[in-house]
Amino acid sequence: MLTIETPTPVVDLDRVDANLTKMQAYADAHGLKLRPHIKTHKIVQLAKRQLELGAVGITCQKLQEAEVMADAGITDILISYPQIGSFKAARLAELAKRADMTVAVDSVEGIETAAAAAEVAGKPIKILVEFDSGMKRTGVQTVEQATALAVAVAAEKNLVLEGLMTYPTTEQTAPFVAEAKKQFADKGLEIRTVSSGGTPSAFQTHKSAGVTELRVGTYIFNDRMMMEVGAATLEDTALHLYATVVSRPTEDRAIIDAGSKTFTSDMAGGNAKGHGLVLGYPDAIIERISEEHGMLDVSACATKPVVGEVLEIVPNHVCPVVNLHDRLTIVQGGQVIGEWKVDARGLTR
């Protein structure tokens, strides 16, 4: 166990590199372009490592994330989130002046925003028409709607129709793409890229005909959710939370110095209980969290943690956990080598 002040998230760089290398090797083996989503780690140094290994560019969810990455010299960026309105257009224009930008749209308003940005930038912006493959979130619902938006994109002199985007890859993805190719072709339009994503199904992406680009984020660290769906093992989890037992008010309860300001409130699903997996105490359940307290039910533990003991915990959902912290403690070869700033932490606009 590391000797560090708690609570703190700790990243094992050896595991990170193994995760990155494995995903890049999979993409290369199946002729897929890898475009990692940086919303999981939000760290420039890690984004650059992903590019060094062979990623074609990065994916950002929000403009502020993209601005941080562009400031660091990253020049191929996809915004996979609808950009609507004049404020977004102005910022997208500034980004487009210094990076090759691609934007996902699922509405006429999204097209208008991107077109306005491209005109100000004096540089084309590429467009992916997003379709819903079962998430019931953003994305057009029918191939006809996708085709209509594609025609509208093609009519804009400063926009370039790149293709389609969806999340996640499901059994609905390939049929939608196949029909879209027919309808786009009837309009004289080409689909160069079909971008799909999701760490849980990442290694099955090659089975979805037509997908050319893979967007994944969680794979860099993995978490308890990925373990529950069989997408990762404990050995694949590269970010663990360290917390100290600060109180044992009853025989069956332990209190740690980590609550909602350290953990995500997301649950892992499946058979997983509580707010994280406590290594060394598999029967302990982090049953409740307040802002600074984590309440553990240790009634089922044969051996119970004691006051002052540091616990190592696999978080349920790593993406929001990273966004809760300014810095991550970095470990390599089992030794602490320093801290890294979470460069795009908290940037949600």
Side-chain angles (χ1 to χ4, degrees), residues 213-235:
E213 180 177 274
L214 175 59
R215 304 184 325 278
V216 278
T218 308
Y219 82 104
I220 190 170
F221 294 144
N222 289 305
D223 53 27
R224 199 179 183 198
M225 283 185 177
M226 295 303 104
M227 291 173 61
E228 283 298 303
V229 298
T233 66
L234 177 60
E235 289 69 31

Side-chain angles (χ1 to χ4, degrees), residues 29-91:
H30 294 284
L32 295 166
K33 294 178 180 179
L34 185 63
R35 184 179 290 276
H37 210 316
I38 62 88
K39 73 180 179 67
T40 297
H41 59 77
K42 292 177 174 279
I43 295 173
V44 166
Q45 193 165 342
L46 290 178
K48 289 186 174 181
R49 178 58 177 154
Q50 290 170 313
L51 293 169
E52 288 170 2
L53 288 171
V56 297
I58 62 169
T59 305
C60 297
Q61 199 77 336
K62 294 298 183 75
L63 287 172
Q64 282 182 303
E65 292 176 345
E67 288 161 350
V68 168
M69 296 296 150
D71 287 344
I74 294 174
T75 58
D76 192 329
I77 303 174
L78 163 65
I79 304 289
S80 58
Y81 193 89
Q83 301 303 307
I84 305 296
S86 60
F87 290 108
K88 305 304 184 190
R91 291 170 59 201

Side-chain angles (χ1 to χ4, degrees), residues 208-288:
S208 188
V211 174
T212 65
E213 180 177 274
L214 175 59
R215 304 184 325 278
V216 278
T218 308
Y219 82 104
I220 190 170
F221 294 144
N222 289 305
D223 53 27
R224 199 179 183 198
M225 283 185 177
M226 295 303 104
M227 291 173 61
E228 283 298 303
V229 298
T233 66
L234 177 60
E235 289 69 31
D236 298 322
T237 58
L239 185 150
H240 294 174
L241 290 164
Y242 280 57
T244 299
V245 178
V246 295
S247 178
R248 282 293 313 280
T250 73
E251 179 67 17
D252 293 338
R253 187 164 74 248
I255 311 300
I256 56 175
D257 60 349
S260 63
K261 292 180 179 179
T262 302
F263 290 98
T264 172
S265 60
D266 293 355
M267 305 306 283
N271 295 317
K273 297 180 180 179
H275 293 275
L277 174 64
V278 184
L279 301 185
Y281 295 95
D283 294 322
I285 301 172
I286 307 174
E287 61 175 356
R288 292 180 294 125

Side-chain angles (χ1 to χ4, degrees), residues 67-150:
E67 288 161 350
V68 168
M69 296 296 150
D71 287 344
I74 294 174
T75 58
D76 192 329
I77 303 174
L78 163 65
I79 304 289
S80 58
Y81 193 89
Q83 301 303 307
I84 305 296
S86 60
F87 290 108
K88 305 304 184 190
R91 291 170 59 201
L92 180 57
E94 292 305 306
L95 272 169
K97 291 176 183 178
R98 54 201 179 107
D100 294 327
M101 298 300 301
T102 305
V103 178
V105 305
D106 70 351
S107 68
V108 171
E109 291 80 4
I111 294 171
E112 291 171 346
T113 300
E119 183 174 6
V120 171
K123 180 181 174 183
I125 291 175
K126 291 183 284 189
I127 300 295
L128 294 174
V129 176
E130 183 180 7
F131 67 93
D132 181 4
S133 56
M135 186 71 170
K136 299 188 184 301
R137 201 169 60 180
T138 50
V140 298
Q141 302 299 297
T142 68
V143 174
E144 290 72 23
Q145 291 172 330
T147 304
L149 288 181

